[in-house]
Amino acid sequence: MATALVFLLLCSLAGAAANDASTANITASFVFGDSLVDAGNNNFLQTLSKADIRPNGIDFTASGGEPTGRFTNGRTIADIVGEGLGTPNFAQPFLAPNTTGRVILNGVNYASGGGGILNGTGQIFVNRLGLDIQIDYFNITRKEVDKILGISQAKLYFMKNAIISLTIGSNDFLNNYLLPLVSAGERYTESPDSFVDQLINSLRAQLTRLYSLDARKFVVANVGPIGCIPYQRSINKLSQTECVSLPNELASNYNGRLRTLLTELNQNLSGAKFCLADVYDLVYEIINNYQTYGFKSASSACCGNEGQLAGLLPCTPASTMCENRSDYVFWDSYHPSEAANIIIGKFLVDGDTKYISPINLRQLKEL
């Protein structure tokens, strides 16, 4: 009996050591957000927000140019950041049937086109995963990792190996507060400051919940210059050098409050590190000096249908597509091209504090 017990103990210790060794050097990306980083979750939803048809994904090498549900011609910012940090595989969509077992140790993508910080955001698309639901799904993943690694090793894995990224907030303005007709009444009854308060209070609770689930390394992107996207320029009939002021003012208001929130969380949540990705200033810089970065257009969508700046309708097989995708900052009416995503991703991984602070993502990984 004693011999048998010793044997079982040794087997248990060997299994724990194997799990420890197998995860020690993994950097896992757990991606939350909207269509800027959706890797295909919306393929599995009955929703009007989809990118599962050509020519979306035309330059995504891993799929041979077939659409994957990414809202761009190639890799998203999250894909590029994951590669830069040495993640062995792209984080798979949570809703995909094959996102199970040890695959999840490489990270999971919960992002959903149309999703927002607020549960009511994106109702126009019928179905989408808001941030609260995405965190519910992360909790499911968290319990699965407990089963795979054991409770103590799983806790260490999330604290040391997991990078938690959030790219969300644009839809809370574009497809909620600023949505024509649908939200007109709300805009009269709720001030911009009050709406931003609601966003920040919700996000504080959501980030704190992730912390309670053992997340410790965070990168949170602010909202980009949404008044400069082709859709906004088209519906407002602006020139190629103009941006719509109200959306950008709202984004700037939110971004200032977000910076304060992350400073607060860095002070109050022991052992956590929250990095701010200043996507607003970075994308604005690329748009204003696009030729410096090798682009020929920062106003038109490469894939569009009609409108002065080809930015009114989604990218479909019937769309007119530019000849060279890497010449364009924007892939479609809302989303950057892979070429723009590559520039953004490199700044976030290895850049200085101008666009990613207080440390860059490579430094975050090494903590």
Side-chain angles (χ1 to χ4, degrees), residues 195-210:
F195 185 74
V196 170
D197 281 344
Q198 189 180 355
L199 291 178
I200 293 297
N201 289 334
S202 295
L203 187 60
R204 178 186 290 106
Q206 291 158 339
L207 291 172
T208 302
R209 185 181 173 203
L210 285 168

Side-chain angles (χ1 to χ4, degrees), residues 72-88:
T72 185
N73 58 305
R75 292 165 293 167
T76 68
I77 297 170
D79 294 328
I80 292 160
V81 165
E83 285 183 324
L85 295 177
T87 302

Side-chain angles (χ1 to χ4, degrees), residues 14 33 116 124 141 163 171 237 251 263 272:
I124 190 174
T141 301
I163 303 288
N171 285 315
K237 297 182 170 58
T263 299

Side-chain angles (χ1 to χ4, degrees), residues 34 114-119 121 128-132 168-169 171-172 206:
D34 53 32
I117 295 168
L118 302 181
N119 292 328
T121 291
R128 72 281 174 217
L129 307 178
L131 186 53
D132 279 336
I168 202 162
N171 285 315
D172 292 289
Q206 291 158 339

Side-chain angles (χ1 to χ4, degrees), residues 101-112:
R102 296 188 70 87
V103 166
I104 67 177
L105 297 179
N106 292 323
V108 178
N109 186 305
Y110 308 91
S112 172

Side-chain angles (χ1 to χ4, degrees), residues 297-316:
S297 172
S299 54
S300 298
C302 169
C303 184
N305 288 73
E306 56 184 84
Q308 179 186 1
L309 301 169
L312 288 178
L313 296 174
C315 182
T316 71

Side-chain angles (χ1 to χ4, degrees), residues 28-314:
S29 295
F30 292 88
V31 181
F32 301 81
D34 53 32
S35 56
L36 291 170
V37 290
D38 188 347
N41 281 304
N42 279 22
N43 292 353
F44 304 95
L45 298 176
Q46 294 296 317
T47 177
L48 298 177
S49 179
K50 283 184 181 286
D52 58 348
I53 55 175
R54 295 179 178 182
N56 293 296
I58 190 171
D59 298 310
F60 190 68
T61 305
S63 69
E66 292 298 317
T68 62
R70 288 168 169 82
F71 290 75
T72 185
N73 58 305
R75 292 165 293 167
T76 68
I77 297 170
D79 294 328
I80 292 160
V81 165
E83 285 183 324
L85 295 177
T87 302
N89 301 102
F90 296 126
Q92 292 189 181
F94 175 83
L95 293 180
N98 60 342
T99 305
T100 184
R102 296 188 70 87
V103 166
I104 67 177
L105 297 179
N106 292 323
V108 178
N109 186 305
Y110 308 91
S112 172
I117 295 168
L118 302 181
N119 292 328
T121 291
Q123 292 183 53
I124 190 174
F125 301 116
V126 183
N127 283 323
R128 72 281 174 217
L129 307 178
L131 186 53
D132 279 336
I133 295 174
Q134 293 180 34
I135 298 173
D136 287 343
Y137 287 162
F138 175 75
N139 190 29
I140 293 172
T141 301
R142 180 68 188 77
K143 292 173 181 175
E144 287 300 310
V145 175
D146 275 347
K147 295 176 185 176
I148 295 169
L149 297 180
I151 292 174
S152 61
Q153 185 62 30
K155 186 179 184 73
L156 182 63
Y157 161 83
F158 278 103
M159 288 182 166
K160 298 294 292 182
N161 299 66
I163 303 288
I164 309 296
S165 70
L166 290 90
T167 306
I168 202 162
S170 297
N171 285 315
D172 292 289
F173 295 111
L174 293 174
N175 292 303
N176 188 336
Y177 192 72
L178 291 172
L179 192 65
L181 300 178
V182 176
S183 298
E186 182 175 346
R187 287 170 61 185
Y188 284 119
T189 58
E190 186 171 19
S191 69
D193 285 344
S194 176
F195 185 74
V196 170
D197 281 344
Q198 189 180 355
L199 291 178
I200 293 297
N201 289 334
S202 295
L203 187 60
R204 178 186 290 106
Q206 291 158 339
L207 291 172
T208 302
R209 185 181 173 203
L210 285 168
Y211 176 85
S212 75
L213 295 170
D214 297 324
R216 291 295 182 271
K217 300 180 181 182
F218 296 82
V219 54
V220 183
N222 63 15
V223 172
I226 50 179
C228 302
I229 62 175
Y231 174 77
Q232 285 290 326
R233 285 172 156 169
S234 292
I235 63 172
N236 289 280
K237 297 182 170 58
L238 298 183
S239 72
Q240 294 188 11
T241 59
E242 293 178 293
C243 296
V244 187
S245 59
L246 179 58
N248 281 355
E249 290 168 4
L250 290 169
S252 295
N253 184 356
Y254 167 80
N255 292 345
R257 295 287 305 280
L258 175 64
R259 183 180 290 275
T260 301
L261 171 63
L262 298 187
T263 299
E264 168 197 318
L265 295 178
N266 272 326
Q267 293 171 346
N268 295 341
L269 297 182
S270 176
K273 179 66 74 175
F274 291 84
C275 294
L276 173 65
D278 189 356
V279 174
Y280 186 100
D281 282 352
L282 178 50
V283 173
Y284 201 72
E285 156 68 15
I286 294 170
I287 290 172
N288 283 339
N289 298 292
Y290 64 92
Q291 291 175 319
T292 303
Y293 294 93
F295 296 106
K296 294 182 179 178
S297 172
S299 54
S300 298
C302 169
C303 184
N305 288 73
E306 56 184 84
Q308 179 186 1
L309 301 169
L312 288 178
L313 296 174

